[in-house]
Structures are given as structure tokens and as C-alpha cells.
Amino acid sequence: MTTTTNVTQKKKDRPNLNERIADLPLPIKVVLWILFALFLFALPLLNIPFITTPDSDFGGVLFTVSTYVLVALGLNIVVGYAGLLDLGYVGFYAVGAYTVGVLSSQHGSLPWLWCVPVAIAVAMVSGILLGAPTLRVRGDYLAIVTLGFGEIVRLTLVNSQWLGGAQGISNIPRPPGIELFEVPSIDWSTGVPVVDLGTTTTFLKFGISDFIPYYWLALVVIALVLVFDILVKNSRVGRAWEATREDEDAAELMGVPTFRFKLLAFALGAAIGGLSGALFAGKSGFINPQSFELLLSILFLAAVVVGGQGNRWGVILGAIVVSYFPERFREFADFRVLVFGLALMLLAIFRPQGLLPPRRTLRAKRADARQHVLEEGEAGA
Amino acid sequence: MPEPTNPEPVGAEPTTPTPASRPSTPATTPVDEVTEINPDVDIAPEDIGVPVVAEGERLLEVDTVTLRFGGVVALNEVSFHINKGEILGLIGPNGAGKTTCFNVMTGVYQPTSGVVRYLGKPLGKRHKFQITKLGIARTFQNIRLFANMTALENVLVGVDAHHTTGVVTAMFRLPKHRREEEQGRARAMELLEFMGLDGKADELARNLPYGDQRRLEIARALATSPQLLCLDEPAAGFNPAEKVKLMELIRTIRDQGYTVLLIEHDMKLVMGVTDRIVVLEFGRKIAEGSPAEIRDNPAVIAAYLGVDEEDAS
Amino acid sequence: TTGGTSNTPAASGGAAACGDYKIGMFGALTGPNANLGIYIQNGVNLALDDYNKKHPDCKVTLENYDSQGDPTQAPALAKKAIDDKKVVGIVGPAFSGESKAANPAFAEAGLVHITPSATNPALAENGWKTFFRVLGNDATQGPAAAKYIKDTVKATKVFVIDDASEYGKGLADIVRQDLGSTVVGNDTIQQKQTDFGASVTKVTASGADALFFGGYSPEAAPLIKQLRDAGWKGTFVVADGVKDQSFIDNAQAAAEGTVITCPCVPADVAPDFQAAYKAKFNEDPNTYSGEGYDSATILLDGIAAGKDRATMVDFVKAYDKPGVTKQLKFDAKGEVTDVKVFAYKVEGGKIVSVGEIK
Amino acid sequence: MLLEVKGLCVNYGRIEAIRDISFTVDQGEIVTLIGANGAGKTTTMKTISGLRPVRAGTVTFDGKDITDLPSYERPVLGISQSPEGRGCFVGMTVMENLEMGTYARPDRKSKAVKDDLERVFELFPRLKERVNQAAGSMSGGEQQMLAMGRALMAKPKLLLLDEPSMGLAPKLIQQIFDIVTEINSQGTTVLLVEQNAAQALKRSHRAYILETGEIVREGTGKELANDPSVKAAYLGGDV
Amino acid sequence: MQFLIDNFWALTITGLTLGAVYALVALGYTLVYGVLRLINFAHSEVFMYGTFAALWVVMFLGGKAGGGTGQVIFWIAMMFVAAMTMSGLIAVLLERFAYRPLRKRNAPPLIALISAIGASFVLAEIMGLREKIVAWVGLEDNLRAYVRNSRNAVGLPDIVAKEPVFTIGGYAVTNVDIFVIVGAITIMVILDQFVKRSRLGRGIRAVAQDPEAAALMGVNRDRVIQVTFLVGGVMAGAAAVFYLLRIGITRYDAGFLLGVKAFTAAVLGGIGNLRGALLGGFVLGLAENYGSAIVGTEWKDVVAFVLLIVILLFRPTGLLGESLGKARA
Ligand SMILES: Nc1ncnc2c1ncn2[C@@H]1O[C@H](COP(=O)(O)OP(=O)(O)OP(=O)(O)O)[C@@H](O)[C@H]1O
Ligand SMILES: Nc1ncnc2c1ncn2[C@@H]1O[C@H](COP(=O)(O)OP(=O)(O)OP(=O)(O)O)[C@@H](O)[C@H]1O
Ligand SMILES: [Mg+2]
Ligand SMILES: [Mg+2]
């Protein structure tokens, strides 16, 4: 069988940043990673001009961004890996937050830390309860079913006094802190960065109005979830999801129990959603149904798709775009949503594969490049 | 299950197609005592109570199977059997019910009446993936690869059929995960090599030429370690030279110890490679016998072969 | 938390410093709930104009914290306000939900906040030393509404509907309790709902001669419209959430005769304010404009008296002066002591005051 | 000259599937393209019917340059294709699929359509039996018949057949070639792509051999069928 | 429950009028889904623009209470013209700017959903900010009446007096009730016939199933898609008029919830299936009303979604099944 592929343009691509980093020796990579992590932790203290939000507290914004990142990672398992369209993801987020609320304040007084595993478990169970009957429903039908689920959760919160009704639940305890030392911040007001020993953050005090420690906590959780995500995706489980997404019937006939894997994706996604809800509840100390509107599900989905569904770094970027920019550009005031909508459209049109295209597209590119090299090699020989 | 204990080093014999050794009976996997959300439970042939049959015995039996779609009778009391180690041809005019037969054997459809027995036991209402694990694998008449996965990954999905790595195992990179991953890759590469695709392991399936796609389908099906391999028109779209190569390939597969059920319209190929042939027409079995018998069967000639000077050669 | 006394410019005394102060306006200024916030903001701006005219070289500026009424955005904005050391007091937060989210931080930082509009009674029960409210809460409005229904409307069968919101349900529950057995039916609708077919059937079937609705005007207008279309003839009683010209514009003829209770003072009670407002904004003061003006005035008086953030709390606590809406004096919980609830009626397409409910 | 392809180049991204090929099909001819897998036969067909954009070169049909004409306007000119892999409308019934064939016919409301339908049913009685079956549930071979029938319903001037015998039973393959010959004799020009090269060459007036995106040989059907090198490469020697 | 029995007819008729609106909007979802396999998220805004067009035209014509029969008919006719034109136009523009560029780039289906969501935000916000936008352009004085308080609800002048026509089971059915139900069904039947008889219907299905093969048959994909959007938009325009007559007010975000419901109705009936949309709309409207009567109005939406889930469990492709094709194994 002669396969023939002729490569015409002999343009030599310069390796992009990604590839160049991938080619670095391991110790350097590790050092780079550590530096990057340190930078992320220091970010709210650096007060970098232009990046720091002028109209809202940067630490608080960063925390919000990190909950979005967490949620996007969870939703990415469902949408990006398993290919299930979920328009009601906020439901799991709410379940997580309310589990904490109910156990720690409304009907109990457990400490926050104890509530978190319960919140994850409850969210996971709710994922299974929703998924078990409905995952057999095909494709886009699932979208409306999940959307319905999200609304059912919200309306139940509004209408059930046991869950606090519209007033919500207040006085949710904060995460436990150990106050060790003060971390100074950087002041740019004079034009040059100066260490500002006056404005400091206590490591680690989970207070009422300083959100930086919460952001740090969220960063740690994100790192853990990321590791989990990488390990699971690069295994039989990840392959099974991908195969199911590609061709469900064929996957089944190749021995993949597709339903169980879809349910698994749903449960894991729900668990991560619940975890972020628990974080949110611990940080705000007060939750009400208004924080779990349908619109949020849509924003979550936008984060995943705009970022590049299936690519964990992409969806992180997407989450940042969706949550950070509206805060950064508060000066658009009334036109914020309009600009945001336009931005979504433009992103969709100009980056149809997402900001960071999913791995499979990259893989295709790499395959092309290899072929290119191969052909050239042959021509040279 | 591929070489349960001592994995062969990958690429030991890089050039010549390594024979994809027929996997032995699924051994009981050493269990990592972990409670985990395990998406599946392995079902081995032992579970239906019959040990692996010996060479020449009945592997699968289609017993008076009838399948109706509304008014259409796609299969009408069809009975035949497949012996272990043989290549059985399934031929018949278009719409005779051949693909439908595959679908019944692999759990896509439930027969309206009749049973399919595998290793002596009825398949019953098993899920498709369970049947695959029992040892029946297939390819598709219209290619159905995982288009956006690489060739290697396509095969790995098949290999995974007998793995049990779940979330927890993968998350903590437990020994089971590592072992399965290593052995799986080795076996997948072996199969790719065997099918002559080792150079394309990292190509996306959708970018492969048609012929390679067809062979990748076979590799993927072999990866599930089947006892019975069902090929649905594997030579469609091949030119005569390619068909000859395919014929050799099918023979080699059989020689590895697999049993092969072949649907094909190319008579040279069918006559050249099969041990026995079953002929369907309008959902009914109209003949069964050796290639030579079938070639001269007047009913088959009338219904299917027609008189063709070239094919009659 | 951030310390940072050292960050405050050294000049805390002297004439130059006086001009550095700001007051914050915390509420929905954009988004779907912006109307109320803007009415308040207008009042605040008017107060600032007055002040700055009197103190031309010591101007106070307004810092806006646009929460869009969303509790999730509130904490970060509160932090922002707290970190801006020039902010000596806040008018707001405007809604009860965002108050719950933001007020703990204000309390911790000792930053005064006077709300001109958040009427949930529970807000005063949290022990926030910095919390003040210049209008009666729902616990005072609810009984007044019930009283009006009993004594003035003289209804014998009352149907009560709420919109499941914190405000609407809280209010409706008080009315239900006060009316006791005259309540012949209850229903709960959802915000943003537009079709009330089932509720209308319930009301007409109950034979009620009065209906109390706890909720806001976007739902009130189609509700009464659909009720009148179905031929219901009873009296429609609503509270301050519906006191809005848009209710009449939208419900049109169906709005006629609607009774509106409100702890807000009728515009004509303070003609000077009304005139000034009209001159600046080209319309009559709207719901809570006067309250916004009063809240800002208290803070500005404090600034004039040389108070800073730390000393402002005590200043407000001790405040006792007439404002445009009422005598401004607070009790220990931060509630204004001079609480009045007024009744209004829709007549000839206008909301007219029919006097205080006593 | 009904169809003229000149200097045609077609790419898939960076991959050049067809490089500078030129050929012609005259009115009333059967012309066959043969070549190995991936030689570019399907790509050529798709380009003629407008499904692939042209990188360089021209396609002229009936004296009109159609290189940049949108694909959906070509059936109106009289080009009809039975695509590789059949491309039936799986959710439509057999009848509806056949009706789709007449979508672009100017005389789609006339009686001629009825006659054509009868003729298709005559050629493929199986289709008549199954007029109301969903095309997607038909067997592979039945779908192939349907695709062919649908192309015939368009009553084209130029019929493009991409591997019409794929997946068909031997007896039917024979029939398909008979049909091709017959409709050709009734005036339809045919451009044929076939793996079944021996049969195809026998039936066609002229043929081109495509190799790795280039035309390497051309000649009359008989010439090529008897050429030893062609025989070895495409006709499959003895098994 | 007793309440439901006592007021059965009242609940039924109001449920049907609501269902009629759902059904007409659902058509737009179903049509677009049928051809593109895409949830046209911005269809709710197409509807919302229709309500405003209908409302503005009445304001422009000075419609008010107490007009004679002739006048009322004229006003309503103008409402239909305005709303259908506006919605049709918006739908076509939407297709042109939010979807077509994506198609050209072979974007994956979900990204189209995001583009649709973006477009939905943009359209809703433009309406919500019309006061400011008009002020920018400098037309605020001329258009004040139309753009005032753009974040608020706006009411339709009382042009039709709702009058009982006949009484059934104690409920006085009004002229508007009859008009809405009969009107919606009539429009549906016409559309159904149109799609079935015309080439458009076949073209839509062909494009949905295999765009390449459709092109080979001479189907102009872009044109078919455009016409589909147009038809869906025009239907939404009709729905907008019925909605206004029934509810009386609209708002820049009035589309959102209704859109969700209409999409639910489309799925309930079997997406891609026109009659399914009609049935789904009515079933949903009735279920909401009955549900509100039995378990309380606050659970209205919950009833709707639970019903959807239950129905999909038993009929995974909706009540009437989808009329989209599926390949076999
Ligand atoms: N789901 C279905 N609904 C209705 N009829 C069906 C369905 N599946 C198959 N059939 C019919 O059953 C008959 C057998 O089909 P099958 O696909 O088994 O044929 P085949 O022997 O594989 O033919 P080919 O050689 O053309 O692939 C055909 O006539 C087909 O139309
Ligand atoms: N969608 C595509 N993307 C990338 N490459 C493609 C695509 N389709 C075809 N090709 C490549 O273009 C070349 C020509 O393919 P084409 O399908 O035209 O061959 P063919 O002669 O019809 O082969 P076959 O006999 O297998 O049908 C092949 O190398 C093929 O891999
Ligand atoms: Mg078949
Ligand atoms: Mg081809």
C-alpha cells in the first residue's frame, strides 16, 4: 500500500515555547516549576500594576479566579474528557457549599475542615444520583437535563426553609488557621516597587476581610486536583473516556464499559465541583441561593470551552479569562456584560479550538510535523 | 490477558513482524487490595463456567437465530457453528444478514428467537463490553476507529479491555497500574508491528490512509485478546495486490491461534483463505461447506456468485 | 489582616488633610438591579454637593462600590473600601443579601456603614457595631401593612403571595402572622416569573377581597394585570419594593387603586429637598433618594466635625438631628428610632400619599 | 469535451494530495481512474464536484469554467456524484433519499422523474421493497445501491462514480458494470473510480492511472488492461 | 388536589395559552437544532426583540385602551408584522455573525454554543442599555418614550380588553385565550405543512445528516441554514405577540427563562420534530399549571424539569421521538 503524502511548504517551524520547555532537562524544569509556583503564591502581594484589579480587592478576585479554575478543572473531566455536555454544573457547586453550610452552621457546628470531605462525598453522590438514570440519555439531551438539575437545586434552596431559604446561611466557620508570621506586600504608588511593611498578610490567618490566605489555600487545592487530573487522565481511565467520546458504540464493542466510565466522570466532576463549593462557603461565611444562578453554569462551561476543552491548561486559562477580566475591567461598568459577550463571540470565532487547543489537536500537529521531518529526511538522503 | 507475568521487552525484534502470540487463558490477576471506584468488573471465560475449548471444538454456535426488524426478517432460523482454530467464511448477497449476524454475536442486537452459544453457554443479555471480554472481537464494515486518538491509543483501548486500573490505582500509581501500563504498551506495539503499523503508532487514526485504517481496526480488535475474531469486509476498497497481502495476514492470524470469522465479497480472497463457508440469502442459510463445495453449489451460484469468467478462475 | 496605620499619610491633622476624605456608595449601580442604587446615589450626590458648596476647599468625594447587588462580589468590594484609608463611611450596602456578605468585614475594620434601604430585620441582630439603618425595617412595615388591610381596607378575606425573596417572603410572613385567620390562602412565586396563571386561579377561587404581595414591581405589575384580566376586583396591597413608577407604567389601568406601604417619607414632606432634587436630576426624588441623602449627610456632618474612620462610629451613634425624611437618631442596635410607615395609593396613574399608618 | 481538468493541485493542509494533474472526459465516454489506496482518486472526484477547494489549476465543464463554482450549483449543471463511502442520508427513508437526487433537477416536478424512479427500482428491486426503510438501517451493499440510484435520479450529464462496486456481492458487481455501460449508451458520460480495475478497464473507453497524486499513464481501456506492468500493479496477478 | 379538580378548566386554559407561546419559541430551537445540531442559545433574545418590536409599534401607532374593533385588529396585525420582521431579522443576523464564521472554520460544536451564549449576552445587553446607546447616538430626545428606563420592564398599552366569550367549568374563557391558542396552532399547522411540502424541509434534513452529500445533491447549505433561522425567527416573532397579549409586559431579559422553558419543551416533544415542539409546549404549559396547583407555585419550574427528566427516562428521544437520523453499528 503506497501512502503518499507530499509536503510542499518546506518552512521550518521554530519550536514554540511549549516544546522548548518540554525539551529542557528535568532539574531545570523542576526549578522553573517551583519559581512559577512561588510567583503564583506571591501574586496578590506583588500588586503588579495593570494586573492588579483597580476596582476590587485583588486578593478577593484571585480567590474567585481560583474557584473558577477549580470548577473548570472539574467540569473539564465531564465535558472535555468524557464529552458530556453539562449545563447544570453549578448544582454540584451549590451542593458542596450548602453541605458545609448545613453541617457547620444551619443544623450543626462541625468545623469547616470536617465538612469538606463530607461536602465532596455528598456532591459525588448527587452526581451519581443524577447521572445513573440520565446518562443513558444521548448527547444534547443531557445538556437540558443537567440544566434542569441545576435549577432544581437552586429552587430547592430558595424554597426550603430547612436550607435557609432565600436568606441563605450565615456564620459559616472559616478554615482553621495557624498564625505564624506576617508577609509584607509591595507598594508601587511611587512608580518603583518598594517593600511595604505596613500592608501585610498574616500567614496563615483565615480572617474576614483578608482573602489572600484563602487564595493560597485554593492554590494548594488546585495543585492537588491538577496532579490527580494528570495521573488519572494518563491512564486506562483517561483513554476509556476519550474512546467513549469518540465513538460510544465502538468503544463498548472494544470492551469499554462506557456507561460506568461516564458515570465515573460525572461523579469525579461533581466531587471537584463540591470541593470548590466548600471552599467558597468557607471563605465567604455566608451563602444564599443567589450565588448559584444558572448563569454561573454557563460561565463555567464558557471557561472550559473557551480555554480548550480537554486540555487542562487550556481550561485553567479559560477560567482565568472568564473570571478575571470582568473584575479587571470594572470600569466598563454597565457595558461589562456586553463586552464580555462580544469577547466570547470573538474568541469563538478566532480561536475555535480554544485558547490552548486540546491535546488531540496538538497531537495532530505534531504528527504532521513528524511527517514533515520524515519527508525531508528522505529527500535529503 | 497479555503475558500476565513476564512482559516482553518492547521492540525486541524490530524489523520482522513479531507474531502476536495468542494470549493464554486469563490468569487470575494478583489483586491489589484497594477499595476503589472501579468502573468495571472483569468477566473471564471461567465465569460462564467453561474452560477454554481445545483446538477443533465448537467455539461458538448460532442456534436457530431469528431476528426481525418490524416487517424485515434479517435472520431467519440461522444455525451454524465455528470451530476453534478455523477460518469460517460468511458470504451472501447484499442484505442477506451477514452484518446482522455479527451484531447478534456481539450483543448489538438481541435475537428475536434462538440463542447464540459461546463456549457452550448462551450469551444471553450481556452488555457489549462483557461479550468483548469473553473473547469475541470484531471490526466494522464502515470503519469506526477512534478518529482523534493515535493508532497506538486505539490499540491500547482494546488492550485495556482486560485491565482493571481504576481511579485510585491510577491516582497513586500503584504497582498494578504500572504493570498494566507497561505490559499494555508492549503488547500494543507488538500488535502494531504485527500489522505493519509500527511506524505509525503516533499518527492520528483519522489521518491514516484507508488501508492502514482497516488494518488498525484489526489490530484493535486483536488487542482485546479475543478467542474469536470477526472481520466484516476487511478488504473492501482494496486493490487486488492489497487483497493478496491481506489474505496472508488473515492466515497468519489464524496460525497464531485465533479463530476467524470472515465476511467478504471478494471470492478470490474467501475461497483462498477459508476452511469452511456458510452462505446466507434473505436471512436464511442456503449452504455450508468447503470452499470447493460452495463454489460449485448451484444455489450459491444462482443467488450470489453469478457467472463470472474472472471469478470462476 | 492588613494592619497599616503606618501607611496612612503622616498628615492626619491640619487643613490639607480635610480634603482627602471620601465616602463610599455601596450597592447595585449597574446590572438589572441598578435602579434602586442609582436613586440612592442621586440622593448621596445631592448631599455631597451641599457639603462641598459649604466647604469649597475641603471637598469630599464619592467612591462607588458597584456590587450589582450580588453577594458574591460584595466581600472583595468591602475589602477594597476598607483598604482605602480615605474612606470614612459607607452609604449602603443597599440590599440585605450583600449586607450579610459585606458587613462582617466592615464591622471588623470599624468602618461605619449606614444603609438607606436594606430592610431585613435580622441585619441588626448580628452585633455589628458599625451598622446603622435610616429607615424602618420589615418588622415595622409588615405590621403596618397588616393594620392597614384590617383597619382601612377592611378586608375580611386576604390572600398573601410572596416572591420567595428574602425581602418579599420576610415581609409576607409578618403580614400572614398579623392577619391571622383572615388569611384565606397563600402562594409563593419566583422572581422573574411572568406568567401567573396558577396563582390567579388560586386568588380568584379563594374569593379574597384583598391581596397582599410581598415582592418587587417587575412581578407585581404582570400579577395584578393578569388578576384584573381574570376579573378579580379586590384591593391589591404591596410594599416599598413596588413603589416605583414603572409599576404603574406597566400595569396601567390595572394598577389603579393599588395600596403601597413604605417606611419612606413622601417627597412632599421635604419640599426643599424635592425641589433641589428636581433641579439636579430633572425628576422627582424616587424611592430611598431621601434616605440616601440623609445617610450621606450624617457622614458628612461627621467629617465636618473632624471625625475620621476610627471616631466616626461614635459620632453616628450619638447623632440626633432632623433629616429630610425623619429625625435621625439611632438605638443601640443601629436602628433609627423615629420609624414611620406611610401608605400610598395609585390614583390616576400617580403614586399619591394617603398619610402615615398609625 | 465535456470535462477538462487542467493542472489541478489539491491540498489537505500541508499535504498535497493531487499534484498538477490534467485529463479530459469527452461527451459520451466512460473514463476510469485507477490507482492504489491514497493515490488521490477520491480527492479528484471531490474536487470535480466542488467539495474540495482547488489550490491551482482549472476545471472546465461543458465549456464553462467551474473551478470556483460552489458545489451545490454543480448538480444544476448536470454533474452528479455517487460518493465513496456512500453518503446516504441515514435518517431519511429510501424514498426520500431518492427524492433528494432530484433536488437540483429543473424538471423535478415532471413525469420524467416518475419514469426515472421506475427505472432505478428496476435496476435495484431491493430498493423498491424497502422504500420506507430508513437508509441508515440498510445493509452496506443496499446503501451502495441507494447511493447509485440517487445519483441516477439526478439524470446527470456527467456521472461521477467513486468505487461503486465496493461492498457489493459478486453477482451485483457484474450488474453494476452492466448498468454503467447501459446508461452510458443512453448518453450519460461517466467518470469512474474503481479498485476492480480489470472490470473497469474492460468497460471504459479510456483510463488514467494515478500514482501518489500524479497521472503516470493514460490510454484506452484495452491498452492498459493488457499492459503487463499495469496488470502486475493493479489487476492482481494470480493468487 | 381538590383545588386542581375544582379549577381544572381555568388551569387548563391558562396552561394552554402559556404552552402555545412555549411551543412557538420551541420551534426555533427545534428547527435550528434540526439543521445544525446546535442549541441556539440566543434564540431567546430573538424572541425578546420580537416583544419589543410589537410593543414599540403599538406605542408608535398610539394604540390605547378603548379602540374600536377595526383599530384593534389593525394594531394586532401591525404587531405581528413588526415582531416577525424584527425577530426574523435578528435571527438572520445572528446566523450571519455568530455562526457562519464558525462554520467556515470548522469549529467544534460546543464552541458554537459559546458563541451563541456570547451573542445572547450581547443582544440582551444592547436592549438593556438602549437608553445609553441611544444617548450616545444623540437620539435620546426623539426616542425617549421607547428607551426610557431600559433596565425596567415595559408594558404593552391596554389595546385589547379581555372579555369572556364563553364559560367552561366555571372559567370564563376570554377572547385573548382563544386567539392565542387557535392562532398558535394554526401557525404551527401551516409551518408543518410548509416544511413537509417544500424542498426546504428536505434540504434541512439533508444538511443535518450529511452536509457533503447534501451539497452533491445541489443543496445550498448556507442558504438552507439561513432560511431555517429566518423561519425560526419569524415563529419567535409570532410567539412574542401572543406573549405580549397574554402577559402584558416585557423586559430586556425576558427571553432567558422563557428560552430555557421553550428549549425544554422542544426536548420534551423530541427535538428536531416540529409536531414534537407543539406537543412539548402544550404539555409543559399544562404541567406547570397543574403542578403549581398541586404542589405550590414556587415549585413550578421544578415540576417542569422533573417532568422532563422522567419523560426522557421512559422515552429517551422525547414524546414524539426525534426525526433526526442515526447511523447503525
Ligand atoms: N435496524 C434495522 N432496521 C430494519 N432493517 C434492518 C436493520 N438492520 C438491518 N436491516 C435489514 O436486514 C437485512 C440484513 O442486513 P445486513 O446488514 O446484515 O446485510 P449484509 O448481509 O451485511 O449485507 P451487505 O453485504 O450489503 O453488508 C438488510 O435487508 C437490512 O436492510
Ligand atoms: N481529510 C483528509 N485530511 C488529510 N489528508 C487526507 C484527507 N483525505 C485524504 N487525505 C490524503 O490524501 C491522499 C489522497 O487520498 P484519496 O482519498 O483521494 O485517495 P484515493 O485514491 O481515493 O484512495 P482510496 O483507494 O483509499 O479511496 C491520501 O494520502 C490521504 O491520506
Ligand atoms: Mg454487511
Ligand atoms: Mg477513494
Side-chain angles (χ1 to χ4, degrees), chain B residues 72-73 92-96 99 141-142 209-211 214 233 236-242 244 247 265 267-268 272 282 301-311, chain D residues 35-38 84 86 126 129-130 133 139-143 145 163 166-174 195-199 202 232-239:
Chain B
V72 178
V73 188
N94 295 113
T99 302
Q141 188 167 356
N142 319 318
Y210 189 84
R214 283 240 175 255
E233 301 196 23
F238 279 20
N239 66 28
E242 292 165 335
V244 173
M247 201 146 98
H265 285 304
M267 279 308 107
K268 265 184 205 154
F282 293 121
I301 293 174
Y304 182 59
L305 298 173
V307 258
D308 184 293
E309 57 285 18
E310 267 155 326
D311 275 340
Chain D
N37 281 140
E84 182 183 44
R86 309 185 274 270
R126 175 54 64 91
E129 282 168 36
R130 301 288 171 85
Q133 186 172 333
S139 86
E142 289 165 345
Q143 289 188 29
M145 300 176 209
E163 307 209 18
M166 194 207 279
L168 291 185
K171 198 172 148 190
L172 207 65
I173 293 181
Q174 211 52 48
Q195 291 293 1
N196 207 322
Q199 278 275 4
K202 207 173 75 187
Y234 301 106
L235 306 184
D238 299 304
V239 176

Side-chain angles (χ1 to χ4, degrees), chain A residues 44-313:
Chain A
L45 299 166
L46 297 179
N47 288 320
I48 305 169
F50 194 73
I51 290 183
T52 302
T53 46
D55 301 317
S56 192
D57 175 58
F58 193 43
V61 170
L62 281 178
F63 176 81
T64 309
V65 171
S66 25
T67 40
Y68 269 73
V69 167
L70 205 52
V71 165
L73 283 174
L75 187 57
N76 184 42
I77 294 181
V78 182
V79 177
Y81 295 166
L84 304 165
L85 182 49
D86 187 342
L87 278 180
Y89 198 63
V90 76
F92 302 119
Y93 184 62
V95 167
Y98 265 81
T99 306
V100 171
V102 165
L103 291 180
S104 68
S105 168
Q106 184 84 347
H107 296 290
S109 50
L110 288 180
W112 179 81
L113 211 52
W114 288 40
C115 299
V116 175
V118 185
I120 295 174
V122 173
M124 194 180 234
V125 169
S126 68
I128 293 172
L129 287 183
L130 173 68
T134 58
L135 277 175
R136 296 183 200 277
V137 171
R138 210 170 40 81
D140 297 299
Y141 287 62
L142 192 64
I144 190 78
V145 166
T146 49
L147 186 151
F149 166 74
E151 279 296 274
I152 290 173
V153 168
R154 187 183 66 82
L155 290 165
T156 308
L157 297 180
V158 172
N159 291 314
S160 153
Q161 287 312 305
W162 192 82
L163 293 167
Q167 295 93 306
I169 299 175
S170 353
N171 301 323
I172 298 170
R174 319 271 163 175
I178 355 157
E179 292 166 44
L180 291 178
F181 49 85
E182 303 272 311
V183 192
S185 63
I186 307 275
D187 184 8
W188 291 74
S189 54
T190 49
V192 279
V194 195
V195 174
D196 177 0
L197 291 170
T199 315
T200 60
T201 286
T202 310
F203 185 93
L204 247 179
K205 178 183 172 223
F206 294 100
I208 289 179
S209 60
D210 184 5
F211 305 118
I212 296 175
Y214 296 99
Y215 163 68
W216 287 338
L217 175 66
L219 270 188
V220 172
V221 174
I222 289 173
L224 291 177
V225 169
L226 257 178
V227 170
F228 169 82
D229 180 281
I230 291 172
L231 293 176
V232 172
K233 179 74 206 307
N234 288 334
S235 76
R236 167 173 176 270
V237 179
R239 279 193 297 273
W241 283 332
E242 205 170 348
T244 307
R245 189 188 56 213
E246 287 284 320
D247 186 334
E248 195 170 333
D249 288 334
E252 183 99 352
L253 283 165
M254 288 306 130
V256 180
T258 54
F259 175 72
R260 288 182 206 159
F261 274 102
K262 287 198 285 185
L263 194 58
L264 178 70
F266 226 63
L268 291 178
I272 295 175
L275 172 62
S276 20
L279 271 183
F280 169 72
K283 174 247 174 190
S284 46
F286 159 70
I287 47 176
N288 72 2
Q290 241 190 312
S291 311
F292 306 100
E293 299 263 352
L294 175 55
L295 196 66
L296 216 53
S297 284
I298 292 167
L299 288 185
F300 292 160
L301 184 71
V304 169
V305 178
V306 161
Q309 36 171 326
N311 179 337
R312 60 182 76 85
W313 308 108

